[in-house]
Amino acid sequence: LRIFRPPAAPRTSAIPFVQRPGFANSLRLRPPRRPAATLRAWSVVTQSPPGPPTIVTPLGRYLARWQVTFTYYFGLGSNLGDRSANLIAALAWLATEGEAVTVSSIYESEPVGGPEQDQFLNMVCVVKAEKKPMEMLSIVKVIEVELGREPGERWGPRLIDIDILAAGLLRVKTPELEIPHAELTNRLFASLPLAEVHPLFKPPGTELQISAIATMLLGSAEVTKWRPREDLLQNLPEGVWAGTL
């Protein structure tokens, strides 16, 4: 009598637990077999030491291994000097840090908080770059200094202000940086131009599209279109910032 024994299943190595500083025991996960384009759509919460640890999704552990392109939405503002020229100069700098995709119209808005000061010009631009959020934050701070911004009181007058409003579906919360920007859904001067360039965008952590958020904020502050996008593009290098999302 011959007894048939099915072949043994191939043995696989167990995935070990590892101890990482600042984290509880976590799984050492292998990189997924997915193209980078798929990874861009995932939501991530990252950590930047020093600071309390935050929850990190599995993709957060792959960022160091994959070359990921982020879609950055920048909010620009100025209420000192030649306000329009300051915004255009900031656009020129940001265009060197990745793929300059598109810009909104320029809006004029009343100051929010701080001392009595002149009206702001605000706009949004979109850049695709392979730079990670903390690296991009450092670049933004350098650009502000190079354009002449000096330290001042919070919500005070500014020659140039560059904020990272969002980075696709990425979520970051560190002592230095929060993405999406903490005030994005509260400030009409930020949500309105963002709704112009990408009305269907849903800021991570919300259920509403940015166009709906901007509509809800209408009347909360005085924000008017100061220069249409078509006119602005005439003062920018041909073909740069002329794309759409």
Side-chain angles (χ1 to χ4, degrees), residues 39 52 65 92 117 120-121 129 153 226 231 240:
L39 299 182
R65 304 183 186 183
Q117 54 190 300
F120 274 86
L121 290 186
E153 63 180 298
W226 186 81
D231 290 349
V240 181

Side-chain angles (χ1 to χ4, degrees), residues 3 5 15 48 72 88 105 118 125 130 139 146 148 157 161 189-190 199 214 238:
I3 300 176
R5 293 182 179 178
I15 302 177
S48 173
Y72 286 100
I88 292 175
S105 302
D118 294 334
C125 69
E130 295 180 347
I139 291 171
E146 289 292 333
D161 187 29
F189 65 78
E238 185 176 356

Side-chain angles (χ1 to χ4, degrees), residues 107-172:
Y107 294 78
E108 189 169 52
S109 64
E110 60 184 359
V112 177
E116 184 176 350
Q117 54 190 300
D118 294 334
Q119 300 275 85
F120 274 86
L121 290 186
N122 298 99
M123 66 178 300
V124 162
C125 69
V126 182
V127 176
K128 291 184 178 181
E130 295 180 347
K131 297 174 174 63
K132 295 181 177 64
M134 295 308 299
E135 181 183 1
M136 184 59 79
L137 176 64
S138 298
I139 291 171
V140 162
K141 296 303 181 185
V142 169
I143 293 175
E144 290 179 336
V145 172
E146 289 292 333
L147 291 178
R149 176 169 176 170
E150 298 178 351
E153 63 180 298
R154 188 182 185 189
W155 295 326
R158 280 153 286 180
L159 187 74
I160 189 67
D161 187 29
I162 306 175
D163 289 324
I164 301 176
L165 299 180
L169 298 182
L170 187 71
R171 299 181 69 184
V172 178

